[in-house]
């Protein structure tokens, strides 16, 4: 019994000694550093807007006008902004963000009307949620059609080290994340007649 107690006391002393040698700064260094871009969140510009659904863990939602919502994604480096305009018969959603399953759930909390998606362009951070919607307005270009096939590499780049601030949503699986295929229901041309997607959004 005495031997067991002596062993226990020695073990406790050893732990205390190691901790004292390491000190608080050593433990702090083991923690992942915050990316520079997310050290000043939340952005001060949003202070003038009315925030709603504050319990949402991933998005910040603001009512900017009657029937008009800004859905802000502060925890990913692109800091995507989705804009939802709710009309009498349907709603218009601009730029479905990269965390697609979660963004659709948020939109469903804001409106029960059919949603039409408007893509200004089809970079990965703008089309992650497209696959969940039947009506998508965008340009019918080779670039658009290629991006509509979905991508694993582009999607994984969005969650690479330094791209995420804080923890990912519970429902999100980073190991299997990819943008799923989607289809442009309607096409548009620029005023100049150009079929270049870049000419439309720049």
């Amino acid at each position: 019994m005495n031997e067991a107690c002596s062993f226990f006391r020695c073990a406790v002393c050893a732990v205390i000694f190691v901790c004292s040698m390491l000190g608080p700064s050593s433990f702090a260094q083991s923690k992942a550093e915050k990316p520079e871009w997310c050290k000043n969140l939340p952005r001060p510009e949003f202070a003038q807007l009315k925030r709603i659904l504050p319990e949402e863990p991933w998005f910040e939602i603001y009512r900017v006008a009657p029937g008009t919502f800004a859905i802000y994604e502060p925890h990913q480096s692109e800091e995507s902004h989705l804009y939802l305009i709710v009309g009498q018969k349907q709603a218009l959603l601009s730029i479905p963000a990269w965390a697609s399953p979660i963004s659709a759930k948020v939109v469903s909390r804001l409106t029960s009307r059919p949603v039409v998606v408007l893509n200004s362009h089809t970079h990965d951070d703008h089309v992650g949620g497209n696959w969940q919607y039947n009506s998508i307005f965008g340009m019918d270009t080779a670039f658009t059609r290629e991006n509509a096939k979905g991508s694993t590499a582009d999607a994984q780049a969005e969650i690479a080290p330094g791209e995420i601030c804080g923890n990912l949503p519970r429902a999100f699986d980073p190991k299997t994340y990819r943008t799923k295929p989607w289809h442009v229901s309607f096409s548009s041309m620029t005023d100049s007649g150009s079929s270049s997607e870049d000419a439309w959004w720049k």
Side-chain angles (χ1 to χ4, degrees):
M1 182 69 177
N2 290 335
E3 291 181 0
C5 291
S6 297
F7 176 78
F8 179 76
R9 282 196 297 270
C10 290
V12 171
C13 290
V15 171
I16 294 173
F17 174 77
V18 171
C19 289
S20 65
M21 292 295 291
L22 288 174
S25 60
S26 297
F27 284 111
Q29 289 173 5
S30 67
K31 294 181 180 180
E33 288 288 330
K34 264 191 173 183
E36 190 64 34
W37 61 268
C38 76
K39 290 182 178 179
N40 296 316
L41 297 176
R43 302 299 181 201
E45 292 82 0
F46 292 102
Q48 302 177 22
L49 300 175
K50 179 177 176 57
R51 186 176 177 181
I52 62 172
L53 305 182
E55 70 280 5
E56 283 291 338
W58 186 256
F59 291 94
E60 293 179 8
I61 301 103
Y62 297 90
R63 180 181 283 111
V64 297
T68 303
F69 304 93
I71 306 171
Y72 168 51
E73 191 170 32
H75 303 291
Q76 201 277 336
S77 63
E78 300 286 353
E79 294 189 61
S80 294
H81 293 70
L82 294 77
Y83 296 97
L84 179 68
I85 303 173
V86 181
Q88 294 183 353
K89 295 182 178 179
Q90 57 187 353
L92 178 68
L93 177 64
S94 175
I95 313 179
W98 72 276
S100 50
I102 298 91
S103 60
K105 291 179 180 178
V106 172
V107 170
S108 68
R109 294 188 65 185
L110 298 173
T111 182
S112 59
R113 293 180 173 85
V115 175
V116 175
V117 170
L118 172 63
N119 287 141
S120 60
H121 59 292
T122 58
H123 287 167
D124 190 65
D125 59 305
H126 288 248
V127 299
N130 274 9
W131 63 274
Q132 298 167 109
Y133 301 98
N134 294 322
S135 298
I136 301 172
F137 189 85
M139 293 197 69
D140 185 13
T141 69
F143 184 79
T144 307
R145 290 191 293 274
E146 182 62 29
N147 289 339
K149 297 176 183 178
S151 172
T152 297
D154 289 344
Q156 288 293 315
E158 301 285 350
I159 56 176
E163 300 297 314
I164 300 296
C165 183
N167 297 322
L168 288 165
R170 290 183 181 180
F172 186 85
D173 184 357
K175 294 181 180 179
T176 61
Y177 177 63
R178 69 184 304 271
T179 53
K180 296 183 180 181
W182 47 274
H183 175 69
V184 177
S185 305
F186 311 100
S187 64
S188 173
M189 301 292 284
T190 63
D191 292 339
S192 62
S194 170
S195 60
S196 169
E197 197 178 63
D198 285 346
W200 189 25
W201 74 275
K202 284 184 176 179

